Protein backbone atom coordinates (compact mmCIF):
# COMPACT_ATOMS: atom_id res chain seq x y z
CA UNK A 1 0.00 0.00 0.00
CA UNK A 2 1.49 3.33 -0.98
CA UNK A 3 1.65 5.92 1.77
CA UNK A 4 1.70 8.78 -0.79
CA UNK A 5 -1.91 8.29 -1.73
CA UNK A 6 -4.75 10.10 -0.01
CA UNK A 7 -7.39 7.89 1.58
CA UNK A 8 -11.01 7.25 0.83
CA UNK A 9 -13.51 5.45 3.02
CA UNK A 10 -17.11 4.55 2.29
CA UNK A 11 -19.70 1.97 3.15
CA UNK A 12 -23.19 0.69 2.55
CA UNK A 13 -25.62 -1.10 4.86
CA UNK A 14 -26.38 -4.80 4.28
CA UNK A 15 -30.12 -4.18 4.37
CA UNK A 16 -32.63 -4.64 1.57
CA UNK A 17 -31.46 -4.90 -2.00
CA UNK A 18 -29.00 -2.50 -3.58
CA UNK A 19 -30.55 -0.42 -6.34
CA UNK A 20 -29.16 1.55 -9.26
CA UNK A 21 -29.29 4.70 -7.08
CA UNK A 22 -26.80 3.14 -4.66
CA UNK A 23 -24.67 2.14 -7.63
CA UNK A 24 -24.75 5.45 -9.52
CA UNK A 25 -24.54 7.64 -6.41
CA UNK A 26 -21.87 5.67 -4.57
CA UNK A 27 -20.39 2.38 -5.81
CA UNK A 28 -19.61 3.60 -9.32
CA UNK A 29 -17.48 6.38 -7.85
CA UNK A 30 -15.77 4.05 -5.40
CA UNK A 31 -14.66 1.94 -8.33
CA UNK A 32 -13.48 4.97 -10.28
CA UNK A 33 -11.52 6.36 -7.35
CA UNK A 34 -10.04 3.15 -5.94
CA UNK A 35 -6.70 3.25 -7.74
CA UNK A 36 -6.07 6.95 -7.28
CA UNK A 37 -6.63 6.69 -3.52
CA UNK A 38 -5.82 4.22 -0.81
CA UNK A 39 -9.32 2.85 -0.39
CA UNK A 40 -11.35 1.28 2.40
CA UNK A 41 -14.82 -0.06 1.62
CA UNK A 42 -16.84 -1.33 4.52
CA UNK A 43 -20.04 -3.32 4.92
CA UNK A 44 -21.63 -1.44 7.79
CA UNK A 45 -23.54 -4.17 9.59
CA UNK A 46 -23.45 -2.29 12.92
CA UNK A 47 -25.36 0.52 11.22
CA UNK A 48 -27.85 -2.02 9.86
CA UNK A 49 -28.96 -3.04 13.37
CA UNK A 50 -30.10 0.50 14.19
CA UNK A 51 -33.38 -0.81 12.74
CA UNK A 52 -34.70 -4.34 13.50
CA UNK A 53 -33.07 -7.11 11.42
CA UNK A 54 -33.59 -10.86 11.23
CA UNK A 55 -30.20 -12.30 12.36
CA UNK A 56 -30.03 -15.01 9.66
CA UNK A 57 -31.04 -12.62 6.91
CA UNK A 58 -28.52 -10.03 8.12
CA UNK A 59 -25.70 -12.56 7.97
CA UNK A 60 -26.62 -13.57 4.42
CA UNK A 61 -27.10 -9.96 3.27
CA UNK A 62 -23.67 -9.07 4.63
CA UNK A 63 -22.03 -11.66 2.39
CA UNK A 64 -24.29 -10.71 -0.52
CA UNK A 65 -23.18 -7.11 -0.21
CA UNK A 66 -19.54 -8.19 -0.47
CA UNK A 67 -20.57 -10.00 -3.66
CA UNK A 68 -22.12 -6.78 -4.99
CA UNK A 69 -19.03 -4.70 -4.14
CA UNK A 70 -16.78 -7.09 -6.05
CA UNK A 71 -19.16 -7.47 -8.99
CA UNK A 72 -19.35 -3.67 -9.26
CA UNK A 73 -15.60 -3.63 -9.81
CA UNK A 74 -14.08 -3.12 -6.38
CA UNK A 75 -10.86 -5.08 -6.48
CA UNK A 76 -9.85 -6.51 -3.09
CA UNK A 77 -6.25 -6.65 -4.32
CA UNK A 78 -6.36 -2.87 -4.65
CA UNK A 79 -8.86 -1.79 -1.99
CA UNK A 80 -9.44 -2.96 1.57
CA UNK A 81 -12.92 -4.54 1.73
CA UNK A 82 -14.21 -5.62 5.14
CA UNK A 83 -17.12 -6.03 7.54
CA UNK A 84 -17.50 -3.28 10.15
CA UNK A 85 -18.09 -5.60 13.12
CA UNK A 86 -14.85 -7.51 12.33
CA UNK A 87 -12.91 -4.42 13.39
CA UNK A 88 -13.94 -3.70 16.98
CA UNK A 89 -12.26 -0.28 16.90
CA UNK A 90 -15.33 1.10 15.07
CA UNK A 91 -17.47 0.58 18.17
CA UNK A 92 -14.69 1.72 20.52
CA UNK A 93 -14.11 5.06 18.81
CA UNK A 94 -17.86 5.55 18.43
CA UNK A 95 -18.19 5.55 22.22
CA UNK A 96 -15.48 8.17 22.60
CA UNK A 97 -17.02 10.33 19.88
CA UNK A 98 -20.43 10.02 21.52
CA UNK A 99 -18.83 11.86 24.45
CA UNK A 100 -17.74 14.60 22.02
CA UNK A 101 -21.03 14.90 20.07
CA UNK A 102 -23.89 17.00 21.36
CA UNK A 103 -27.54 16.03 21.64
CA UNK A 104 -28.57 19.18 19.78
CA UNK A 105 -26.51 18.41 16.70
CA UNK A 106 -27.81 14.83 16.52
CA UNK A 107 -31.38 16.06 16.96
CA UNK A 108 -30.94 18.10 13.78
CA UNK A 109 -30.11 15.06 11.61
CA UNK A 110 -32.86 14.69 9.01
CA UNK A 111 -32.26 10.95 8.55
CA UNK A 112 -33.07 10.37 12.24
CA UNK A 113 -36.23 12.42 11.90
CA UNK A 114 -37.25 10.39 8.81
CA UNK A 115 -36.34 6.95 10.11
CA UNK A 116 -37.78 7.47 13.62
CA UNK A 117 -40.95 8.69 11.89
CA UNK A 118 -40.98 11.66 14.24
CA UNK A 119 -41.33 9.57 17.42
CA UNK A 120 -38.15 9.66 19.51
CA UNK A 121 -40.02 7.90 22.35
CA UNK A 122 -39.96 4.59 20.46
CA UNK A 123 -36.81 5.07 18.36
CA UNK A 124 -33.68 3.13 19.30
CA UNK A 125 -30.79 5.06 20.85
CA UNK A 126 -28.56 3.48 18.16
CA UNK A 127 -30.65 5.11 15.45
CA UNK A 128 -30.07 8.44 17.18
CA UNK A 129 -26.31 7.95 17.49
CA UNK A 130 -26.00 6.42 13.99
CA UNK A 131 -24.06 9.46 12.65
CA UNK A 132 -21.52 9.15 15.50
CA UNK A 133 -20.74 5.58 14.45
CA UNK A 134 -20.42 6.82 10.89
CA UNK A 135 -17.96 9.50 12.03
CA UNK A 136 -16.01 6.79 13.82
CA UNK A 137 -15.83 4.72 10.60
CA UNK A 138 -14.43 7.67 8.70
CA UNK A 139 -12.07 9.18 11.28
CA UNK A 140 -10.48 5.84 12.25
CA UNK A 141 -8.84 5.65 8.82
CA UNK A 142 -7.66 9.29 8.71
CA UNK A 143 -9.87 9.59 5.64
CA UNK A 144 -9.40 12.47 3.20
CA UNK A 145 -12.42 11.86 0.97
CA UNK A 146 -15.77 10.14 1.47
CA UNK A 147 -17.67 9.27 -1.72
CA UNK A 148 -21.40 9.17 -0.92
CA UNK A 149 -24.77 10.13 -2.32
CA UNK A 150 -26.42 13.47 -1.56
CA UNK A 151 -28.45 12.04 1.36
CA UNK A 152 -25.26 11.56 3.42
CA UNK A 153 -24.05 15.17 3.19
CA UNK A 154 -25.38 16.18 6.60
CA UNK A 155 -23.78 13.16 8.27
CA UNK A 156 -20.46 14.07 6.65
CA UNK A 157 -20.70 17.58 8.06
CA UNK A 158 -21.16 16.12 11.52
CA UNK A 159 -18.06 13.92 11.02
CA UNK A 160 -16.08 17.03 10.13
CA UNK A 161 -17.40 18.92 13.16
CA UNK A 162 -16.51 16.06 15.52
CA UNK A 163 -12.99 15.77 14.04
CA UNK A 164 -12.42 19.50 14.41
CA UNK A 165 -13.78 19.61 17.96
CA UNK A 166 -11.65 16.66 19.04
CA UNK A 167 -8.53 18.19 17.42
CA UNK A 168 -9.21 21.50 19.14
CA UNK A 169 -9.75 19.97 22.57
CA UNK A 170 -7.07 17.25 22.57
CA UNK A 171 -4.57 18.28 19.86
CA UNK A 172 -4.22 17.34 16.17
CA UNK A 173 -5.51 13.77 15.90
CA UNK A 174 -7.88 13.35 12.98
CA UNK A 175 -7.81 14.29 9.32
CA UNK A 176 -10.91 16.39 8.63
CA UNK A 177 -12.68 14.51 5.78
CA UNK A 178 -14.21 16.04 2.66
CA UNK A 179 -17.35 14.64 1.05
CA UNK A 180 -17.23 13.53 -2.57
CA UNK A 181 -20.72 13.89 -3.97
CA UNK A 182 -20.82 13.25 -7.71
CA UNK A 183 -22.07 16.12 -9.91
CA UNK A 184 -24.49 13.75 -11.67
CA UNK A 185 -26.27 10.79 -10.04
CA UNK A 186 -25.95 11.82 -6.38
CA UNK A 187 -29.71 11.60 -5.98
CA UNK A 188 -31.49 9.16 -8.25
CA UNK A 189 -35.22 9.55 -7.65
CA UNK A 190 -37.95 6.96 -7.27
CA UNK A 191 -39.47 5.80 -10.57
CA UNK A 192 -42.89 6.09 -8.97
CA UNK A 193 -42.45 9.44 -7.22
CA UNK A 194 -39.70 11.69 -8.57
CA UNK A 195 -39.91 13.93 -5.50
CA UNK A 196 -38.49 11.08 -3.34
CA UNK A 197 -35.10 9.40 -3.61
CA UNK A 198 -34.91 5.83 -4.87
CA UNK A 199 -34.69 3.92 -1.60
CA UNK A 200 -34.06 0.37 -0.40
CA UNK A 201 -36.67 0.86 2.27
CA UNK A 202 -39.46 1.98 -0.11
CA UNK A 203 -42.46 -0.38 0.26
CA UNK A 204 -43.21 0.05 -3.43
CA UNK A 205 -40.65 -2.10 -5.27
CA UNK A 206 -41.68 -0.48 -8.56
CA UNK A 207 -39.94 2.71 -7.47
CA UNK A 208 -36.48 1.12 -7.62
CA UNK A 209 -34.47 -0.96 -10.07
CA UNK A 210 -32.47 -3.42 -8.03
CA UNK A 211 -29.04 -4.44 -9.26
CA UNK A 212 -30.14 -8.07 -9.37
CA UNK A 213 -33.52 -7.51 -11.08
CA UNK A 214 -34.04 -9.72 -14.16
CA UNK A 215 -34.54 -8.15 -17.61
CA UNK A 216 -38.32 -8.64 -17.59
CA UNK A 217 -38.73 -6.93 -14.24
CA UNK A 218 -36.53 -4.03 -15.34
CA UNK A 219 -38.54 -3.51 -18.52
CA UNK A 220 -41.84 -3.67 -16.58
CA UNK A 221 -40.69 -1.21 -13.91
CA UNK A 222 -39.52 1.28 -16.52
CA UNK A 223 -42.75 0.92 -18.47
CA UNK A 224 -44.67 1.80 -15.29
CA UNK A 225 -42.33 4.69 -14.39
CA UNK A 226 -44.20 7.97 -14.04
CA UNK A 227 -43.49 10.71 -16.57
CA UNK A 228 -44.28 14.43 -16.67
CA UNK A 229 -46.69 16.34 -18.82
CA UNK A 230 -45.10 17.53 -22.03
CA UNK A 231 -43.56 15.40 -24.72
CA UNK A 232 -39.96 16.44 -25.22
CA UNK A 233 -37.19 14.24 -23.88
CA UNK A 234 -34.85 16.89 -22.51
CA UNK A 235 -32.88 17.63 -19.31
CA UNK A 236 -35.31 20.10 -17.79
CA UNK A 237 -35.24 20.55 -13.98
CA UNK A 238 -38.89 21.55 -14.01
CA UNK A 239 -39.78 18.05 -15.33
CA UNK A 240 -38.21 15.88 -12.61
CA UNK A 241 -39.49 12.47 -13.82
CA UNK A 242 -37.95 12.73 -17.31
CA UNK A 243 -34.87 14.42 -15.89
CA UNK A 244 -34.37 11.44 -13.58
CA UNK A 245 -34.85 8.86 -16.35
CA UNK A 246 -32.49 10.74 -18.66
CA UNK A 247 -29.88 10.93 -15.89
CA UNK A 248 -30.07 7.15 -15.50
CA UNK A 249 -29.71 6.78 -19.28
CA UNK A 250 -26.75 9.18 -19.35
CA UNK A 251 -24.87 7.37 -16.60
CA UNK A 252 -25.62 3.89 -17.90
CA UNK A 253 -24.50 4.65 -21.45
CA UNK A 254 -21.69 7.12 -20.74
CA UNK A 255 -23.18 9.53 -23.32
CA UNK A 256 -23.06 13.30 -22.86
CA UNK A 257 -26.33 15.11 -22.02
CA UNK A 258 -26.40 16.56 -25.57
CA UNK A 259 -25.97 13.10 -27.10
CA UNK A 260 -28.78 11.75 -24.92
CA UNK A 261 -31.15 14.51 -25.99
CA UNK A 262 -30.19 14.15 -29.66
CA UNK A 263 -30.82 10.42 -29.44
CA UNK A 264 -34.46 10.99 -28.49
CA UNK A 265 -35.29 14.05 -30.54
CA UNK A 266 -38.73 13.68 -32.02
CA UNK A 267 -39.27 10.34 -30.21
CA UNK A 268 -42.04 9.57 -27.72
CA UNK A 269 -41.95 8.34 -24.12
CA UNK A 270 -42.67 4.74 -25.18
CA UNK A 271 -39.63 4.61 -27.42
CA UNK A 272 -37.47 6.30 -24.77
CA UNK A 273 -38.50 3.84 -22.06
CA UNK A 274 -37.78 0.84 -24.28
CA UNK A 275 -34.34 2.13 -25.13
CA UNK A 276 -33.64 3.02 -21.51
CA UNK A 277 -34.65 -0.51 -20.44
CA UNK A 278 -32.27 -1.98 -23.02
CA UNK A 279 -29.43 0.21 -21.75
CA UNK A 280 -30.04 -0.74 -18.11
CA UNK A 281 -30.39 -4.47 -18.90
CA UNK A 282 -27.22 -4.39 -21.02
CA UNK A 283 -25.34 -2.58 -18.29
CA UNK A 284 -26.44 -4.94 -15.51
CA UNK A 285 -25.87 -8.19 -17.44
CA UNK A 286 -22.10 -8.57 -16.90
CA UNK A 287 -22.49 -7.28 -13.35
CA UNK A 288 -25.10 -9.95 -12.54
CA UNK A 289 -23.00 -12.71 -14.09
CA UNK A 290 -19.97 -11.64 -12.10
CA UNK A 291 -22.01 -11.50 -8.87
CA UNK A 292 -22.97 -15.17 -9.33
CA UNK A 293 -19.37 -16.24 -9.78
CA UNK A 294 -18.11 -15.80 -6.20
CA UNK A 295 -18.46 -18.60 -3.67
CA UNK A 296 -19.18 -17.87 0.00
CA UNK A 297 -15.78 -19.34 0.96
CA UNK A 298 -13.98 -17.06 -1.45
CA UNK A 299 -15.80 -14.00 -0.14
CA UNK A 300 -15.22 -14.92 3.51
CA UNK A 301 -11.51 -15.30 2.85
CA UNK A 302 -11.25 -11.92 1.12
CA UNK A 303 -13.19 -10.26 3.95
CA UNK A 304 -10.91 -11.86 6.54
CA UNK A 305 -7.84 -10.44 4.79
CA UNK A 306 -9.58 -7.04 4.48
CA UNK A 307 -10.43 -6.93 8.19
CA UNK A 308 -6.82 -7.68 9.10
CA UNK A 309 -5.56 -4.79 6.96
CA UNK A 310 -8.25 -2.43 8.27
CA UNK A 311 -7.49 -3.32 11.89
CA UNK A 312 -3.82 -2.39 11.47
CA UNK A 313 -4.81 1.18 10.61
CA UNK A 314 -7.78 1.45 12.98
CA UNK A 315 -5.88 0.20 16.04
CA UNK A 316 -3.23 2.91 15.57
CA UNK A 317 -5.92 5.60 15.62
CA UNK A 318 -7.58 4.19 18.73
CA UNK A 319 -4.25 3.98 20.53
CA UNK A 320 -3.52 7.60 19.66
CA UNK A 321 -6.99 8.68 20.84
CA UNK A 322 -6.70 6.72 24.12
CA UNK A 323 -3.38 8.43 24.83
CA UNK A 324 -4.70 11.87 23.97
CA UNK A 325 -7.71 11.59 26.29
CA UNK A 326 -5.86 9.96 29.17
CA UNK A 327 -7.07 6.37 29.00
CA UNK A 328 -3.57 4.96 28.53
P1 LIG B 1 -32.09 3.63 1.55
O1 LIG B 1 -31.96 3.61 0.06
O2 LIG B 1 -33.04 2.64 2.09
O3 LIG B 1 -32.25 4.99 2.13
P2 LIG B 1 -29.43 3.85 2.43
O4 LIG B 1 -29.25 5.20 1.87
O5 LIG B 1 -29.41 3.69 3.89
O6 LIG B 1 -30.69 3.11 1.96
P3 LIG B 1 -26.91 2.57 1.99
O7 LIG B 1 -26.74 1.20 1.50
O8 LIG B 1 -26.43 2.78 3.34
O9 LIG B 1 -28.40 2.91 1.73
O10 LIG B 1 -26.28 3.61 0.99
C1 LIG B 1 -25.19 3.36 0.21
C2 LIG B 1 -24.86 4.58 -0.59
O11 LIG B 1 -25.85 4.82 -1.60
C3 LIG B 1 -24.74 5.90 0.18
O12 LIG B 1 -23.57 6.58 -0.21
C4 LIG B 1 -25.97 6.68 -0.22
O13 LIG B 1 -25.74 8.07 -0.18
C5 LIG B 1 -26.16 6.21 -1.64
N1 LIG B 1 -27.55 6.34 -2.10
C6 LIG B 1 -28.65 5.81 -1.49
N2 LIG B 1 -29.75 6.10 -2.20
C7 LIG B 1 -29.35 6.83 -3.29
C8 LIG B 1 -30.03 7.42 -4.40
N3 LIG B 1 -31.34 7.33 -4.54
N4 LIG B 1 -29.30 8.09 -5.32
C9 LIG B 1 -27.96 8.19 -5.20
N5 LIG B 1 -27.26 7.66 -4.17
C10 LIG B 1 -27.94 6.98 -3.22
N1 LIG C 1 -24.79 6.11 6.46
C1 LIG C 1 -24.30 5.61 5.21
C2 LIG C 1 -23.53 4.33 5.35
C3 LIG C 1 -22.24 4.56 6.06
C4 LIG C 1 -21.13 5.30 5.53
C5 LIG C 1 -20.14 5.25 6.58
C6 LIG C 1 -20.88 5.95 4.34
C7 LIG C 1 -21.91 4.16 7.30
N2 LIG C 1 -20.66 4.54 7.62
C8 LIG C 1 -18.94 5.90 6.42
C9 LIG C 1 -19.65 6.58 4.20
C10 LIG C 1 -18.69 6.56 5.23
C11 LIG C 1 -25.48 5.40 4.29
O1 LIG C 1 -25.28 5.42 3.14
N3 LIG C 1 -26.65 5.17 4.74
Amino acid sequence: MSSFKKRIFSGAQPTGELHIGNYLGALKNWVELQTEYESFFCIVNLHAITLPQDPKVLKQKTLDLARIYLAAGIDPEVSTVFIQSDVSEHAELAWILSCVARMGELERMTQFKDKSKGSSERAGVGLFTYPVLMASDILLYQTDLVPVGQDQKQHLELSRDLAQRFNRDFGETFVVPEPYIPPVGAKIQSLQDPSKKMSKSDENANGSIFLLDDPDTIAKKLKKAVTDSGTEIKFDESRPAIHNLLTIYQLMTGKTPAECEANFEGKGYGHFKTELAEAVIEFLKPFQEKAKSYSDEELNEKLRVGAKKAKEVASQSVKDVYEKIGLI
Side-chain angles (χ1 to χ4, degrees):
M1 252 187 252
S2 157
S3 54
F4 301 109
K5 289 184 176 175
K6 290 199 165 193
R7 287 212 178 122
I8 59 177
F9 182 100
S10 201
Q13 304 186 73
T15 52
E17 303 254 328
L18 251 70
H19 48 69
I20 56 171
N22 299 125
Y23 176 76
L24 298 174
L27 265 79
K28 182 173 186 283
N29 304 305
W30 304 359
V31 174
E32 284 167 8
L33 294 167
Q34 71 177 335
T35 45
E36 192 186 329
Y37 289 80
E38 185 183 346
S39 310
F40 293 83
F41 299 118
C42 187
I43 297 166
V44 293
N45 57 349
L46 296 175
H47 278 104
I49 60 166
T50 57
L51 290 173
Q53 305 294 336
D54 176 324
K56 280 209 187 73
V57 176
L58 178 63
K59 196 128 192 272
Q60 186 57 49
K61 291 257 174 218
T62 302
L63 211 54
D64 287 345
L65 189 51
R67 196 168 267 123
I68 299 265
Y69 281 12
L70 268 51
I74 290 165
D75 179 354
E77 302 291 322
V78 172
S79 304
T80 303
V81 181
F82 67 104
I83 300 173
Q84 190 182 30
S85 62
D86 283 346
V87 181
S88 55
E89 283 79 0
H90 288 251
E92 288 180 65
L93 182 62
W95 174 255
I96 313 268
L97 293 176
S98 75
C99 300
V100 175
R102 295 170 185 158
M103 295 286 287
E105 59 195 351
L106 294 183
E107 274 161 6
R108 286 195 289 277
M109 295 290 125
T110 55
Q111 180 177 292
F112 175 71
K113 289 186 209 165
D114 291 348
K115 298 216 168 177
S116 62
K117 303 201 172 78
S119 160
S120 60
E121 181 63 28
R122 294 194 53 81
V125 173
L127 190 64
F128 185 67
T129 58
Y130 177 115
V132 176
L133 178 59
M134 179 161 162
S136 165
D137 298 341
I138 296 167
L139 302 185
L140 267 181
Y141 298 91
Q142 307 297 343
T143 303
D144 297 285
L145 200 68
V146 185
V148 281
Q150 178 69 33
D151 60 331
Q152 296 303 311
K153 190 162 184 268
Q154 195 187 30
H155 287 161
L156 244 296
E157 268 152 26
L158 180 82
S159 299
R160 289 171 56 82
D161 289 345
L162 296 182
Q164 279 162 341
R165 193 174 306 150
F166 191 97
N167 289 348
R168 187 199 62 202
D169 293 348
F170 300 103
E172 259 335 283
T173 308
F174 295 121
V175 170
V176 179
E178 296 282 343
Y180 175 87
I181 297 174
V184 183
K187 195 169 181 217
I188 299 295
Q189 308 294 63
S190 158
L191 302 180
Q192 288 298 312
D193 178 356
S195 69
K196 287 196 323 201
K197 75 161 195 146
M198 189 176 281
S199 167
K200 286 194 243 166
S201 34
D202 191 341
E203 313 74 78
N204 185 354
N206 284 329
S208 311
I209 295 177
F210 300 113
L211 295 175
L212 298 177
D213 272 349
D214 60 57
D216 246 22
T217 310
I218 295 172
K220 278 193 195 127
K221 285 181 178 175
L222 284 169
K223 216 170 186 176
K224 285 191 201 139
V226 302
T227 48
D228 312 278
S229 57
T231 52
E232 288 200 318
I233 297 159
K234 288 214 143 115
F235 283 98
D236 175 355
E237 301 275 356
S238 69
R239 292 163 65 221
I242 289 298
H243 192 282
N244 188 43
L245 295 177
L246 264 176
T247 301
I248 297 171
Y249 183 80
Q250 179 192 340
L251 291 168
M252 292 278 170
T253 58
K255 291 192 168 118
T256 64
E259 285 168 344
C260 296
E261 288 182 350
N263 202 39
F264 298 113
E265 208 183 325
K267 304 269 168 56
Y269 285 161
H271 175 95
F272 170 48
K273 285 178 164 183
T274 309
E275 222 176 282
L276 173 59
E278 278 165 15
V280 175
I281 292 163
E282 207 45 45
F283 181 87
L284 290 179
K285 206 164 129 196
F287 166 86
Q288 295 180 347
E289 272 161 22
K290 209 166 158 205
K292 274 191 249 152
S293 73
Y294 305 106
S295 69
D296 287 4
E297 293 70 36
E298 198 180 341
L299 292 169
N300 279 319
E301 177 54 19
K302 290 189 196 303
L303 291 167
R304 194 187 60 74
V305 173
K308 192 162 170 273
K309 283 203 277 177
K311 203 170 173 75
E312 278 167 23
V313 180
S315 59
Q316 282 300 318
S317 294
V318 165
K319 183 168 175 282
D320 186 25
V321 167
Y322 276 25
E323 278 170 4
K324 292 256 173 54
I325 62 177
L327 297 184
I328 52 174

